[in-house]
Amino acid sequence: MKKIYALALMVIMSACQKEDFEDFYADPSKLNTTTVEKQFTGFIFSNKDYALPSYWNYFVIHRITNNRYTQAVTWANDIDQYIPGGGAVNDRWNTYYNFLAQYRELQKVFNSLSEEDQKLRRIYMLAATVYLYDHTQQVVDLHGDIPFSEAGMLSTNGGDYNVSYPKYDSAESIYTTMLDDLKSIADELNTIEVNSGIQVGFEKQDLINNGDLTAWKRYVNSLRLRILTRVSGASNFSSRAQTEIGQIVGNPTAYPIVNTNVENIAFEVKTLGVYFNDNNEFERGLEDWNGNVAGKKLVDHMVNNKDPRLTYVLEPGVEAENGKYETISQLENSSTITEKINAGTLTIYNRSTLSRNSYFPGILISASQVQFMLAEYYLKAGNEAMASATYEKGIRESINFYKEVRSISNNSVSPVPANIAEAQIVAYLATPEVQWTPAKSANEKLALIGLQKWLHFNVVQPLENWTEVRRLKLPALTFWVDQASNQTTVPARWNYPNSEKAYNEANYNAVASKDNLTTKLFWDTK
């Protein structure tokens, strides 16, 4: 019988082709022994499809869920379109719990070491926990309560199924654990001393920051900022959020964050064929079945306001006349939308910048994202000057981000965009839909932040985009009402996979009343 939590037997690195990569990161299931170092890399690599722009993540997961829920794309409306597909739910869930099981295996190997060896390799556990919590937050934000504290323990429990079925932890308790642990990790990273020999190995095994301890500090504190911002509107977290964000921004030496694009936390693709067998994963994932047709609101904003990112993020449809950025309302009937999509005249996401750029990085934390979170914090704190400054910096970093990823592209199917002059940026910042002025209310300024965050995320960070749209209810989006379905509009969360009812029934029953598409997460307070 298939057991969803039997995934603690590791299958690591199976998708790699380069011989030196395979040799260095051998599959521990084929070895008599493994190490903390190899388990660490295997743990990170096991989740690559949900960090890098992979075919499965974009076509199966985002195409029919998050990209539609944010209207980052245009599609032909259909019955039951707001219900997350079973394939998307099951695969996202299973991949996460394989990922978590690999972390538990890393813990098991680490805990078997002597006290001296644990101290030597402590950096691996700190970094692994940061990366685990990054993706744990994402899964909690999809489902709410999930199995966590007892999950992934089959190998640790000696293969005993009877004691390995995990309870569900509340979303609030998981958030609390993550915030507590990440604060401790942030402080420990300021005092840790990594042995020179261990450091050399860490630089080779670390697929994210290449062993750069300062980058890990920026990662942990930017992640803390993301988690704290997410819960800032929840009554039982709001005070903590304001206090701890204040501590982070008030002491940048102790708690550095991602401030510029050069500091972005990301999987960087430096050699093709290492992460994916097929270097067209992003192309097929975003473009197949017209998944790259851009949403009307996004296109219209960029065109009408002469957004400097326009020609980097978007391109006219392949059949568009005279380079026109054509759009269609998502409220049109399905046949009309289908006709327009099939005609190839609607605006699409820039293929050379995004989907056909084999070197497009897997973004974990971006500078623009961080600046917009800071702008929200300063706005709530009443610091008008810093709110305005970080808001503008967020826009500038977003512009620079899309320029930079286009500059590393190995594809030229889309025309090379003209260079962006400073005067264009200044003019854009002065447009009514973008300009930050004292005359605007706090709510209007928050709407500016929400809009720019949404424009920056678009289809590049789809899950973060939907989560923030749910939390802020910004930008305001109007959806076609599916009167023929029980789910008439965008859901508040995803269902649990059916496997939970079948294989973890007793624990699932404790949360069954929440297993619907309308129960909001605790941070969704608007």
Side-chain angles (χ1 to χ4, degrees):
M1 180 180 291
K2 180 180 179 182
K3 309 280 187 178
I4 191 62
Y5 296 101
L7 295 171
L9 296 178
M10 304 299 122
V11 181
I12 299 176
M13 311 303 169
S14 60
C16 301
Q17 285 186 320
K18 289 177 65 67
E19 281 187 13
D20 56 346
F21 198 79
E22 286 185 331
D23 291 342
F24 198 76
Y25 304 120
D27 182 348
S29 69
K30 299 177 182 177
L31 300 175
N32 291 324
T33 60
T34 187
T35 64
V36 165
E37 290 83 353
K38 285 184 172 61
Q39 287 294 153
F40 171 78
T41 305
F43 155 72
I44 291 177
F45 196 82
S46 69
N47 195 61
K48 68 177 178 62
D49 286 353
Y50 293 97
L52 288 153
S54 70
Y55 168 78
W56 193 266
N57 195 20
Y58 275 85
F59 185 77
V60 178
I61 309 294
H62 296 313
R63 181 181 57 85
I64 59 172
T65 58
N66 307 316
N67 285 345
R68 293 181 176 182
Y69 299 164
T70 61
Q71 288 187 7
V73 297
T74 293
W75 72 97
N77 295 307
D78 199 5
I79 296 172
D80 289 337
Q81 67 177 5
Y82 300 120
I83 300 174
V89 173
N90 292 336
D91 191 78
R92 188 70 186 88
W93 183 272
N94 291 350
T95 300
Y96 172 74
Y97 282 101
N98 176 56
F99 172 66
L100 178 57
Q102 296 230 30
Y103 178 79
R104 301 300 187 204
E105 194 71 9
L106 173 61
Q107 285 182 312
K108 179 182 174 182
V109 174
F110 181 81
N111 291 337
S112 71
L113 300 177
S114 67
E115 184 176 340
E116 180 180 355
D117 282 344
Q118 286 185 7
K119 183 177 180 180
L120 281 172
R121 290 167 174 80
R122 176 68 174 162
I123 186 60
Y124 285 101
M125 290 308 304
L126 297 179
T129 302
V130 173
Y131 190 61
L132 173 71
Y133 285 170
D134 183 343
H135 292 279
T136 296
Q137 183 192 17
Q138 295 178 35
V139 174
V140 170
D141 289 346
L142 285 173
H143 298 280
D145 303 350
I146 63 169
F148 181 68
S149 61
E150 297 178 357
M153 295 291 201
L154 182 61
S155 177
T156 302
N157 294 335
D160 186 343
Y161 287 106
N162 293 323
V163 297
S164 299
Y165 294 108
K167 70 176 183 179
Y168 280 68
D169 297 275
S170 71
E172 294 95 323
S173 69
I174 297 172
Y175 260 80
T176 299
T177 295
M178 292 191 296
L179 287 173
D180 292 346
D181 290 351
L182 290 172
K183 173 62 166 63
S184 296
I185 291 171
D187 290 333
E188 188 172 350
L189 284 175
N190 285 326
T191 59
I192 194 169
E193 295 182 6
V194 181
N195 172 279
S196 59
I198 295 296
Q199 178 63 30
V200 170
F202 186 49
E203 290 170 4
K204 293 179 179 178
Q205 302 287 156
D206 178 9
L207 302 178
I208 301 172
N209 292 317
N210 302 308
D212 185 336
L213 297 185
T214 301
W216 279 103
K217 291 179 184 180
R218 287 194 291 262
Y219 190 1
V220 67
N221 290 302
S222 298
L223 179 58
R224 290 174 63 203
L225 182 61
R226 190 180 82 189
I227 295 173
L228 289 163
T229 301
R230 190 69 37 80
V231 300
S232 60
S235 59
N236 52 336
F237 282 93
S238 59
S239 177
R240 176 175 187 172
Q242 286 297 104
T243 298
E244 292 194 15
I245 294 175
Q247 291 170 349
I248 292 170
V249 301
N251 194 347
T253 301
Y255 304 124
I257 55 178
V258 173
N259 275 303
T260 63
N261 286 312
V262 74
E263 297 174 347
N264 286 349
I265 308 301
F267 270 86
E268 294 184 1
V269 180
K270 297 179 179 178
T271 304
L272 300 184
V274 172
Y275 290 126
F276 296 119
N277 291 335
D278 178 359
N279 292 318
N280 297 324
E281 291 249 359
F282 196 9
E283 176 184 343
R284 294 186 298 114
L286 186 62
E287 294 182 32
D288 280 7
W289 294 12
N290 299 302
N292 66 334
V293 178
K296 177 177 175 58
K297 186 179 183 72
L298 184 143
V299 178
D300 288 350
H301 171 89
M302 287 192 163
V303 172
N304 296 338
N305 294 282
K306 295 183 173 59
D307 191 321
R309 293 164 290 195
L310 174 63
T311 55
Y312 288 84
V313 176
L314 304 172
E315 62 175 301
V318 293
E319 301 296 333
E321 293 184 6
N322 302 317
K324 181 182 179 181
Y325 290 91
E326 187 175 343
T327 63
I328 188 171
S329 170
Q330 195 58 53
L331 300 181
E332 288 282 355
N333 65 65
S334 181
S335 60
T336 301
I337 296 175
T338 298
E339 182 181 347
K340 281 288 188 180
I341 290 175
N342 290 341
T345 60
L346 297 180
T347 303
I348 59 177
Y349 281 94
N350 192 292
R351 293 166 293 172
S352 293
T353 301
L354 303 178
S355 53
R356 300 192 187 183
N357 180 355
S358 298
Y359 292 95
F360 197 90
I363 300 298
L364 300 174
I365 300 282
S366 70
S368 182
Q369 174 184 8
V370 169
Q371 295 306 311
F372 291 136
M373 290 188 290
L374 293 178
E376 182 178 340
Y377 162 74
Y378 285 122
L379 178 64
K380 289 181 179 178
N383 190 332
E384 178 72 17
M386 287 302 297
S388 174
T390 49
Y391 167 74
E392 178 177 327
K393 186 174 181 180
I395 295 173
R396 288 179 175 274
E397 290 299 328
S398 180
I399 293 169
N400 289 333
F401 170 78
Y402 286 103
K403 286 176 59 179
E404 289 165 16
V405 293
R406 178 55 185 262
S407 72
I408 63 173
S409 178
N410 60 339
N411 183 273
S412 58
V413 67
S414 305
V416 177
N419 188 43
I420 299 172
E422 172 65 15
Q424 291 176 265
I425 301 175
V426 172
Y428 176 66
L429 292 170
T431 58
E433 285 190 49
V434 180
Q435 188 177 30
W436 185 287
T437 67
K440 290 181 176 177
S441 68
N443 285 338
E444 289 173 322
K445 291 170 183 175
L446 184 61
L448 294 177
I449 297 169
L451 175 65
Q452 289 297 328
K453 187 181 295 187
W454 175 77
L455 290 167
H456 176 70
F457 286 152
N458 55 73
V459 294
V460 172
Q461 291 179 264
L463 180 52
E464 190 68 8
N465 201 4
W466 182 46
T467 303
E468 284 297 278
V469 167
R470 277 184 290 162
R471 180 180 73 89
L472 293 173
K473 303 299 181 287
L474 296 169
L477 303 171
T478 303
F479 289 86
W480 173 76
V481 178
D482 185 0
Q483 300 286 8
S485 175
N486 291 328
Q487 185 62 35
T488 60
T489 190
V490 174
R493 61 179 289 277
W494 282 14
N495 290 116
Y496 295 117
N498 290 332
S499 58
E500 282 298 288
K501 302 174 188 177
Y503 304 120
N504 194 25
E505 183 178 8
N507 291 301
Y508 167 79
N509 287 338
V511 297
S513 62
K514 300 180 181 180
D515 191 12
N516 55 69
L517 299 177
T518 58
T519 297
K520 290 184 176 183
L521 272 74
F522 74 96
W523 47 253
D524 188 356
T525 59
K526 292 191 175 183

